Amino acid sequence: MISRALAAALALAFPSVAAAQQTPPAKPTLVVQITIDQLRPDYLDKWAPQFTGGLKRLLQQGAFFTQAYHEHATTETAPGHATLWSGRTPAHTNIVINDLGVADAQMPLLLGRGGGASPWRFRGSALFDWIRARDQFSRALSVSRKDRGAILPLGKAKQQVYWYGLDGRFTTSRYYADTLPTWVQQFNARDLGAQYLGKTWTPLLADTAYPEKDSVAYEHEGKDIAFPHTLGTDRRRGLDSLTSFPWMDEFTVDMALAGVQAMDLGKGPTTDVLAVSLSTTDAVGHAWGPDSKELHDQVLRVDRALGRLIDSLYTLRDSSRIVFALGADHGVTPYPEATFSGSDPERGRVDVRPVIDAARSALVARGLETDALNYQDKMLMVDRRRFAAAGIDADSTIESVRAALLKLPGMAAVYRVRDLPRLSATDKIARRWRNALPDDMQVALAITFKPGYYVATTRYATHGMPYDLDAHIPVLFMGPGVKPGRYTTPIRSVDVAPTLAELAQVMPFESIDGRVLTQALVTVPRAAARPKDQMKGSRR
Ligand SMILES: [Zn+2]
């Protein structure tokens, strides 16, 4: 044995010896995947001085990528979660929009309200699969208020996956289990949601801490627009409405921590996974908008909830063996009322329905059923087989719909999906559409409004557009192996999973779209030693 002082002297004299001694940190025993639903990165800079909890710790001790983007057009919850933790775009995960997400009538819930759910549409693998390929005894717990927020971070893995059943209890579906484990039954029996019934949400800090106007007429459909906000005392309705209050995130953190203890998660020697998706920021952002006092207060409360999560994990387990990554599934665009001046209540909104309805009526008149032409979430899907069977030229129908859509005020572009590969090289929005659509999805047209425009009839603030307000997200890493700092080079959301895999010292076993963010890592990634052809995530 040589002394530390001698080793240091040797290291100075012989740099190659120092390099050889630089061993990677011990394999983590817990990988924590945090998703904050609808968190925009500008919130972190705007309100950093008011953070005292988890966001403060992540900003101070972690690596913050300030220019991270979802490179897919459909900026919704399901595709965001699937992409963040698989390193693959929706074109490859097959999770394209919420409505084609996790709903699965064949996998009913064990309890609670809501439709059945499973990852049946999800294609390929996710981070947890790569970990379990090394550590066969690794286990994972995923918790969220939303089914898609709990299911998709683990891909198809049949682990412990729970979401809120809207009745005060956490639930899962038959895909994962036939009965709830004892610890979940005991957690549900504590009835923690009931403590919030009749409670009033008031701002966390003094009024001077919030520059936002509290009373804005178009917020929350004109009702309950200003603090304080009270959760009703009626049990059934109150436990349902809890989803729009900051306490839902506290409840989700309680569930995650109960699971960590009950499952002995992160005790080693294997690497386990904890996935937590906090959904209230999305609910509050939708209801009151990104510029509201409510949203500002909600983000301060997310900071506190995350602080409790991280502090508790550090108390329960060895903090030198836990790695964290935080991302968001999407951002949000302000209310059109805030973006466009005037008094027209329909301003900043695009109504495509008359165009679609007219096209369908014309087809019906020619003997084709209406669902051969399907409009969903800014996509026009065409069943070419049925067009052919009816002797109708699909392409001429598509072209006439496209021409009519382009005439609508507020329309920016209507892409022919077959043109997207060609346009992707120079057009960022075309590229984001290409990354969103699987080859076999039969989408003919990808419809894009001008920046700031909403779908007609939408009366809450929302997201889902391919522009940066919805696509720009915060990405942070923290823990052993992470080089703290502020990183301003542009990165993509598909880079999160491979980077976290590198920190967990595993590698994807399939070709992925993202790359390891080596600039934020202490050690040279093992991926760099791989042959070049294996490194490249090929575009399938
Ligand atoms: Zn949302």
Side-chain angles (χ1 to χ4, degrees), residues 437-452:
L437 303 177
D439 287 340
D440 54 353
M441 199 178 161
Q442 296 188 294
V443 179
L445 298 177
I447 298 154
T448 304
F449 304 163
K450 288 179 182 164

Side-chain angles (χ1 to χ4, degrees), residues 246-290:
W247 310 310
M248 187 67 233
D249 288 344
E250 296 289 346
F251 197 7
T252 309
V253 167
D254 288 337
M255 175 69 179
L257 289 170
V260 166
Q261 287 172 278
M263 294 170 65
D264 277 342
L265 223 57
K267 275 202 167 163
T270 61
T271 302
D272 294 329
V273 165
L274 171 66
V276 179
S277 175
L278 300 180
S279 314
T280 297
T281 306
D282 186 64
V284 170
H286 279 301
W288 287 278

Side-chain angles (χ1 to χ4, degrees), residues 37-38 77 146 282 286 330 463:
D37 206 309
Q38 207 191 97
T77 293
K146 297 182 180 177
D282 186 64
H286 279 301
H330 54 75
H463 52 86

Side-chain angles (χ1 to χ4, degrees), residues 126-208:
L127 173 68
F128 176 72
D129 299 309
W130 312 335
I131 291 173
R132 206 165 68 115
R134 177 191 66 195
D135 291 349
Q136 62 169 317
F137 296 119
S138 285
R139 286 165 316 141
L141 166 67
S142 186
V143 180
S144 177
R145 179 204 106 197
K146 297 182 180 177
D147 52 6
R148 50 194 176 274
I151 291 170
L152 295 167
L154 299 186
K156 292 183 105 69
K158 286 188 181 176
Q159 294 289 306
Q160 300 216 25
V161 175
Y162 305 105
W163 55 94
Y164 186 58
L166 299 174
D167 61 351
R169 298 179 293 178
F170 277 83
T171 188
T172 192
S173 80
R174 293 258 177 242
Y175 177 82
Y176 296 101
D178 294 324
T179 55
L180 287 172
T182 308
W183 78 265
V184 177
Q185 293 181 28
Q186 287 170 345
F187 182 83
N188 282 337
R190 288 165 69 191
D191 199 19
L192 290 175
Q195 67 183 299
Y196 304 113
L197 296 174
K199 220 179 141 182
T200 296
W201 173 22
T202 54
L204 191 65
L205 304 180
D207 260 4
T208 50

